[in-house]
Amino acid sequence: RQKKSSEGNSAAGQGNMGLRAMILRISLTLSAMSSIDMCCGFTGFSHCPFALRSGGRSLVSSYTHKKTQLSAARRLNTLSSGVLSLKAEEKFGRGLKAKMKEGHSLVYDYVDGSSPVIVYLPAFNQSRITSKSSALQTWAKRNGKAFFSADYYGCGKSDGKFEDGTLTMWTNDMITLIEDVIKKPVLLVGSGVGGWVGLHLAMKRKNLVRGLVGIAADPDFTTDVVLPELDDTVKEKIQKDGSAMISWGVSEYTISKKFIDDSKNMLLLPGGSESLDIKCPVRLIQGLSDEEIPPDRALRISEAIKSDDVVRAASCPLKLS
């Protein structure tokens, strides 16, 4: 059961990794995970094609693959509804709304297709409409797979202020959408904080989550990555005003006191090796020189996951997006 390191080394190259290469990478990942009927169960993967090439340059030169035999006897539990209003004739489409029992509405896109439904979980302070989600949706349509993505509370077109959103709220809302709108097994693809949400979903709804892909997943980033690097002036502003704009890596973000305080109750990595009760296949993709999330984050996540089917893949020396 010993997990081996899989830090992929990329050949020297210049410029940004093209969107096409990223689409290929995610597509191959999803292809490997979706090639077996996950609705009825599966017996593990014999190969995961991460070592692709683009423009003659190897993007990934190594990976670690752990294989396990998983039971096919999986049934969906009868679940109580947390959605107050949803028009049945509008189940599939773009820009649809689902009203939560707490009173707020979330906007989502749902493309019909075969299950497991590919669910894209957006990154921090981002909407459901990004280059990565568009790439996934395109791939899903071409391969007849169902696709779903929603704006978190306070993000995109959903109700609420971003400063009032928390990881607990986003996770619980996604559980409600999966149980009451999708109502099928899902394959989660989480970017950044979406990976954090996805890890919680994989533990809380084992009967529904068939696989998880993390794209620069960043669990616990508030506590051990961002906060230690903020100067006292910014920390004081967060405490006094409830939020502040921070520069992190090559981007600027708004981060709130509510989110930081709530995230302390949602930490995943302090438990150490095999502390996360996740048994589904997991694929973690991480840029080697990501300026926002340390490359070793994927290694720490994989060590904490109990699943015997975890693949860590490192990309070219730039942030993944």
Side-chain angles (χ1 to χ4, degrees):
R1 290 181 51 82
Q2 184 177 4
K3 299 181 181 180
K4 299 180 180 178
S5 176
S6 66
E7 297 180 3
N9 294 320
S10 168
Q14 297 180 355
N16 294 326
M17 180 177 69
L19 178 60
R20 181 179 296 276
M22 183 172 67
I23 294 174
L24 285 172
R25 182 185 311 285
I26 297 173
S27 297
L28 287 172
T29 301
L30 294 172
S31 178
M33 301 185 73
S34 302
S35 59
I36 299 174
D37 185 1
M38 293 187 178
C39 295
C40 300
F42 46 85
T43 58
F45 302 127
S46 60
H47 180 61
C48 186
F50 275 109
L52 63 141
R53 300 184 68 85
S54 176
R57 294 184 296 114
S58 174
L59 295 179
V60 179
S61 59
S62 66
Y63 61 86
T64 293
H65 184 206
K66 298 193 307 168
K67 184 176 179 181
T68 185
Q69 298 290 324
L70 301 181
S71 171
R74 295 179 173 179
R75 294 178 178 271
L76 302 182
N77 295 331
T78 301
L79 303 166
S80 59
S81 177
V83 175
L84 290 182
S85 64
L86 179 68
K87 296 181 180 179
E89 66 271 17
E90 292 184 349
K91 181 177 181 180
F92 299 107
R94 295 183 178 181
L96 304 181
K97 287 187 177 182
K99 187 174 183 179
M100 303 292 103
K101 60 183 178 181
E102 293 80 6
H104 60 276
S105 293
L106 301 179
V107 175
Y108 66 91
D109 299 332
Y110 194 1
V111 178
D112 195 11
S114 64
S115 61
V117 180
I118 299 169
V119 176
Y120 178 74
L121 304 169
F124 190 67
N125 212 348
Q126 290 188 5
S127 74
R128 72 190 190 283
I129 302 174
T130 66
S131 59
K132 288 187 281 291
S133 64
S134 296
L136 282 172
Q137 188 170 161
T138 298
W139 183 91
K141 287 181 178 179
R142 289 176 178 174
N143 290 272
K145 298 291 182 182
F147 174 86
F148 182 95
S149 186
D151 286 331
Y152 301 131
Y153 177 91
C155 298
K157 299 294 184 180
S158 290
D159 288 348
K161 296 180 179 179
F162 178 77
E163 291 80 0
D164 294 329
T166 65
L167 193 71
T168 297
M169 178 187 294
W170 295 350
T171 301
N172 290 339
D173 282 348
M174 284 308 307
I175 289 175
T176 299
L177 291 173
I178 291 172
E179 291 179 341
D180 300 332
V181 177
I182 297 176
K183 297 182 179 181
K184 294 179 181 179
V186 297
L187 193 162
L188 306 175
V189 182
S191 176
V193 78
W196 195 351
V197 172
L199 289 166
H200 278 286
L201 294 176
M203 290 189 291
K204 293 176 181 291
R205 291 298 182 268
K206 299 180 180 66
N207 61 319
L208 290 172
V209 177
R210 295 294 186 260
L212 170 63
V213 178
I215 306 172
D218 58 7
D220 306 0
F221 81 93
T222 49
T223 300
D224 61 5
V225 178
V226 174
L227 283 182
E229 299 298 326
L230 295 181
D231 59 43
D232 292 339
T233 302
V234 176
K235 291 179 181 178
E236 290 176 4
K237 181 174 176 57
I238 293 174
Q239 291 296 322
K240 180 180 178 180
D241 299 338
S243 65
M245 182 72 72
I246 65 172
S247 295
W248 189 255
V250 297
S251 304
E252 289 190 344
Y253 301 102
T254 297
I255 192 165
S256 69
K257 184 179 184 300
K258 281 188 178 181
F259 188 89
I260 293 172
D261 291 344
D262 174 78
S263 67
K264 295 176 182 177
N265 300 318
M266 300 287 280
L267 301 179
L268 294 176
L269 301 180
S273 179
E274 299 189 7
S275 59
L276 303 183
D277 189 19
I278 297 174
K279 302 295 180 62
C280 67
V282 177
R283 304 291 182 266
L284 300 170
I285 308 173
Q286 176 67 48
L288 288 176
S289 297
D290 194 315
E291 297 180 9
E292 297 176 19
I293 301 302
D296 67 350
R297 183 61 38 135
L299 177 60
R300 291 184 61 193
I301 297 170
S302 66
E303 292 294 340
I305 292 173
K306 287 185 178 180
S307 175
D308 283 327
D309 192 355
V310 179
V311 174
R312 303 186 302 270
S315 75
C316 62
L318 294 169
K319 63 177 296 186
L320 199 62
S321 61

